[in-house]
Amino acid sequence: MTAPKIIAESVVKRFGEGSAAVTALDGLDLAVADGQFVCILGPSGCGKSTLLFILAGLEKATSGRIAVDGRAITEPGRDRGMLFQQLALFPWRTARKNVEFGLELQNVDSTTRRQKAEHWLSIMNLQDFADMYPHQLSGGMQQRIAIARLLINDPEILLMDEPFAALDAQTRTVLGEELVRVWQQTLRTVVFVTHSVDEAIFLSDRLLVMTRRPGRFKADLRIDLPRPRDPASDQFNTLRREVNRLIRSEVAAAERTIEIGSQA
Amino acid sequence: MASAEDRKRLIYRVAPIVVPILFIAFWETAARLGTHNNILLPPPSRVFETLFELIRNGTLFDHIGASLFRVAAGYALSVIVGVPIGLAMGYWLLAEGLLTTTVNGLRPIPASAWIPLSIILMGIGEQPAIFLVFIGTVWSIILNTSHGVKNVPKHLVWAAQTMGASNATIFTKVIFPASLPSTFTGMRVGVGIAFTCVIVAELIAVRSGLGYLITEARMLVRSDVVIAGMITIGVVGFVLDAVVRLIMNRALRWQKGLMTE
C-alpha cells in the first residue's frame, strides 16, 4: 500500500483559555489516500471546518501531527488550494484577473497567464464573462470562477469548506457535477466539508461522518456507486437512509446536551 | 388630461426653481424700494453686475486660483502623510498603539483653532493656509484608511494565503486595494473640509484667495463684492465635490452596485 497523501494524528484544537476554552477537535486521526475524494459530513459546529483550516495551514492545531507527503504542515501553501463558503473573489479584479492571480504570484509572464486563464475559464464555461467584475455575476458563476482560480495553480490537494452552501439547490447540483467532472480529469486529492447528505454521497469516494463537538469520526464509509451518480437510484437511497440515521443520532445527542446545559 | 407621470415630471422640473426666483424677486424689490440701505444690502442685479465685472477683469480667477492651489497643496500633503499612517495603524497593532492617543487627541481640535498658533509660527502667507487645509483633512483620511484595512474581509486574505502569497504580497495585492473604498470615503469627506479650511484661513492668515476677497470687501463696505464672492465660493465648492466624486467613481468602477450615494 502506498503512503497516504494526508496524515493527521491525534489532532487536538482548543479555542480560548482556562474555563472559557472550547475543544473543537479532540484527538482526531485521519489518513487520506492520493487522489481520493473525501467528504466530511457533520452537524454544525462539530469542528469539520476547523480541521480543514488546520490542513490548509490557516489555523494551528493545539497538539497532534499533520503532514502532507510526510512533510509537517506549518503554514499555508500553494500545494493545498482552498475554496471557501464565502464568495472570496477579489471584487476589484475582473473574472480573468481573479483567475490569473496565482500565476501572478509566481511571476508567470502575461501571455502565458492569459492563455491559462482562458483555458480554465472555458472549462468552467465562463469564457464570455472574462472581463466582468464579480458583482456583475451570480453567486454560482462567482464560485465557478473561484474554482478556476484554484485549479490554475495546479494544487495537489483541494480543500473545500462548504463551497456551495451559499448557492441555491439547482446551482449547487450543477456545480457538484462540474466539480466531479474536473476532478475525474485531474485526480487531485479532495477534502470536501459539507452538511448536506446528498452532496456528500453524490461527490465522494469516501464519506466520514463526524460526531458533535468535540469532533471525532464516527463512521468511515466507502462510496463506490458508479459515476455519474443518480440521486434517485435505489443504492443512493439506501446509502442516504444509512447516513441520515448516523447523523440523526448525532443531532439528537447534541440537542440533549444543549437541553441539559440550559437547565443548569 | 395630464397623467400622474407628466405631473411628476413637471413638479421635478419647475418646483425646484420657484423658491429661488421668488427669493431673488423679493430681494430685488425690497432693495429698490429702499427699506434697507442700498450700500449695505444691494439688489441682486447689482451683485451680478459686480460678479461679471470681477470675471471680466480677471480678479475672480486670480482668487479662485490662489484658493484652489492651497486646497491642492494641503490636500496632497494630507493624502501623502495620512494614507501611509492609516495603512500602518490598520495593519500593525504596534503602530496603532503608538499613534492612537496622538490622532484621537488632536482630531477634536477644530482646524480654525489652529489659526492663531500657525500664524505665530509661520506668519501671514501661504504656509498657514496650506497647513490649515492639511490639519483639517488628515484625520478623516487616517481614520478611514485604517478602518478600511481592519475591515478587509478575512476570506480574501485566506484565499491569497492558500494560493501561496507572502505577507508583503497580501498587503499590496489584497489589503491595499480592498481598503481603497474606505480611504476614498475619507478623501471625499476631506475635500469638503479642505475647501472650508482654505476660506477660513484666507479670512485671517493670507492676503489672496476667495476668503480674502470677501473679508477685504467687508472692510471697504462693498456688500456687492462680498455676496458675489459668496456665490463664487458656493459654485467652486460644488464643482470641486462633483469632480472628486466623478474621479472616485471611475477609480472604483469595480465597486459599482455596492456604492451608496
Side-chain angles (χ1 to χ4, degrees):
Chain A
M1 209 186 112
T2 53
K5 186 79 180 165
I6 305 171
I7 291 185
E9 283 171 358
S10 332
V11 174
V12 175
K13 177 68 185 177
R14 263 189 289 275
F15 292 102
E17 279 170 29
S19 58
V22 174
T23 306
L25 300 171
D26 190 13
L28 185 132
D29 297 309
L30 173 68
V32 179
D34 194 11
Q36 202 167 41
F37 198 132
V38 179
C39 274
I40 298 176
L41 186 68
S44 304
C46 70
K48 54 193 192 298
S49 293
T50 305
L51 174 63
L52 214 57
F53 273 69
I54 292 173
L55 291 175
L58 294 169
E59 287 273 6
K60 285 205 182 350
T62 309
S63 68
R65 195 178 86 93
I66 306 99
V68 168
D69 288 332
R71 280 173 284 112
I73 291 171
T74 52
E75 57 180 12
R78 187 153 52 84
D79 57 327
R80 283 154 287 135
M82 186 152 175
L83 206 58
F84 301 88
Q85 183 175 346
Q86 301 94 334
L87 299 171
L89 293 181
F90 304 121
W92 57 89
R93 286 174 166 251
T94 59
R96 185 203 312 281
K97 288 284 174 192
N98 263 286
V99 176
E100 288 182 11
F101 186 83
L103 299 181
E104 267 178 51
L105 297 179
Q106 297 165 54
N107 295 317
V108 174
D109 68 278
S110 63
T111 325
T112 316
R113 272 199 328 247
R114 209 183 156 90
Q115 274 171 3
K116 288 201 171 178
E118 289 294 333
H119 169 73
W120 282 105
L121 283 166
S122 67
I123 285 182
M124 299 313 292
N125 291 317
L126 285 162
Q127 59 275 43
D128 297 339
F129 302 96
D131 294 314
M132 291 201 172
Y133 286 94
H135 74 85
Q136 296 169 298
L137 303 168
S138 69
M141 284 168 151
Q142 289 190 42
Q143 206 57 305
R144 271 149 70 199
I145 293 166
I147 294 174
R149 181 177 70 173
L150 182 65
L151 294 173
I152 200 170
N153 303 319
D154 203 15
E156 293 171 26
I157 296 170
L158 305 177
L159 303 170
M160 307 203 155
D161 184 22
E162 306 192 43
F164 308 146
L167 308 174
D168 62 84
Q170 270 179 319
T171 310
R172 196 173 175 147
T173 309
V174 173
L175 280 182
E177 285 166 2
E178 288 190 6
L179 181 62
V180 168
R181 180 168 57 84
V182 173
W183 170 72
Q184 285 176 320
Q185 286 166 12
T186 56
L187 282 179
R188 295 303 178 202
T189 310
V190 182
V191 182
F192 190 110
V193 160
T194 180
H195 59 247
S196 159
V197 174
D198 275 37
E199 192 168 65
I201 299 174
F202 185 83
L203 294 173
S204 62
D205 292 333
R206 180 180 170 200
L207 198 167
L208 294 163
V209 179
M210 226 167 159
T211 61
R212 67 187 191 281
R213 193 161 63 205
R216 287 159 182 265
F217 294 123
K218 166 178 196 169
D220 186 347
L221 310 171
R222 275 208 76 79
I223 314 281
D224 43 17
L225 302 181
R227 295 175 191 268
R229 291 173 182 166
D230 175 10
S233 69
D234 287 343
Q235 298 118 300
F236 204 107
N237 274 325
T238 310
L239 268 170
R240 182 188 287 131
R241 211 169 296 130
E242 185 181 341
V243 174
N244 269 324
R245 190 179 47 76
L246 285 165
I247 293 270
R248 204 169 305 128
S249 60
E250 271 315 308
V251 174
E255 280 174 353
R256 268 199 305 279
T257 315
I258 290 164
E259 273 169 28
I260 293 164
S262 61
Q263 282 162 3
Chain B
M1 219 179 88
S3 71
E5 215 32 58
D6 287 337
R7 208 176 137 241
K8 220 178 190 174
R9 206 168 305 140
L10 194 70
I11 289 180
Y12 273 126
R13 290 236 178 103
V14 178
I17 56 171
V18 169
V19 174
I21 287 176
L22 286 178
F23 175 72
I24 288 172
F26 169 76
W27 174 12
E28 183 78 35
T29 322
R32 276 174 193 273
L33 289 175
T35 54
H36 271 277
N37 187 328
N38 239 339
I39 304 280
L40 295 185
L41 188 62
S45 52
R46 172 109 182 74
V47 169
F48 283 108
E49 239 170 73
T50 307
L51 186 59
F52 289 125
E53 175 56 25
L54 288 170
I55 291 171
R56 206 187 49 75
N57 67 23
T59 323
L60 197 65
F61 296 110
D62 291 345
H63 289 300
I64 292 176
S67 294
L68 287 183
F69 166 72
R70 288 165 198 144
V71 166
Y75 187 71
L77 198 62
S78 209
V79 172
I80 291 167
V81 173
V83 171
I85 291 180
L87 290 173
M89 285 179 74
Y91 191 71
W92 286 297
L93 200 62
L94 181 63
E96 192 186 18
L98 288 173
L99 293 170
T100 185
T101 319
T102 313
V103 169
N104 289 303
L106 292 179
R107 188 168 61 107
I109 302 173
S112 46
W114 285 91
I115 293 179
L117 186 65
S118 41
I119 293 178
I120 291 172
L121 295 178
M122 302 176 220
I124 297 285
E126 294 293 343
Q127 283 180 19
I130 293 172
F131 173 73
L132 215 65
V133 171
F134 166 76
I135 208 77
T137 53
V138 75
W139 313 120
S140 85
I141 292 179
I142 290 177
L143 291 174
N144 279 285
T145 304
S146 87
H147 180 259
V149 171
K150 281 188 210 160
N151 285 284
V152 171
K154 283 268 185 300
H155 54 264
L156 296 186
V157 175
W158 293 336
Q161 284 179 318
T162 54
M163 287 187 274
S166 65
N167 284 340
T169 312
I170 288 172
F171 187 81
T172 53
K173 288 198 182 234
V174 181
I175 291 175
F176 181 66
S179 68
L180 270 186
S182 184
T183 302
F184 279 12
T185 302
M187 285 172 66
R188 170 133 183 254
V189 172
V191 172
I193 301 173
F195 194 58
T196 308
C197 285
V198 85
I199 299 299
V200 171
E202 287 165 355
L203 292 177
I204 304 165
V206 62
R207 300 241 153 80
S208 63
L210 292 168
Y212 177 71
L213 173 72
I214 61 175
T215 198
E216 182 201 32
R218 175 187 67 90
M219 288 185 265
L220 303 172
V221 202
R222 286 290 303 273
S223 295
D224 54 334
V225 178
V226 171
I227 298 169
M230 288 168 67
I231 292 170
T232 311
I233 288 169
V235 171
V236 172
F238 177 82
V239 171
L240 206 57
D241 187 59
V243 169
V244 169
R245 201 179 332 175
L246 194 77
I247 294 171
M248 288 181 181
N249 282 349
R250 263 300 149 77
L252 294 182
R253 231 171 28 252
W254 53 269
Q255 225 205 355
K256 218 174 261 166
L258 309 175
M259 199 100 126
T260 47
E261 248 330 296

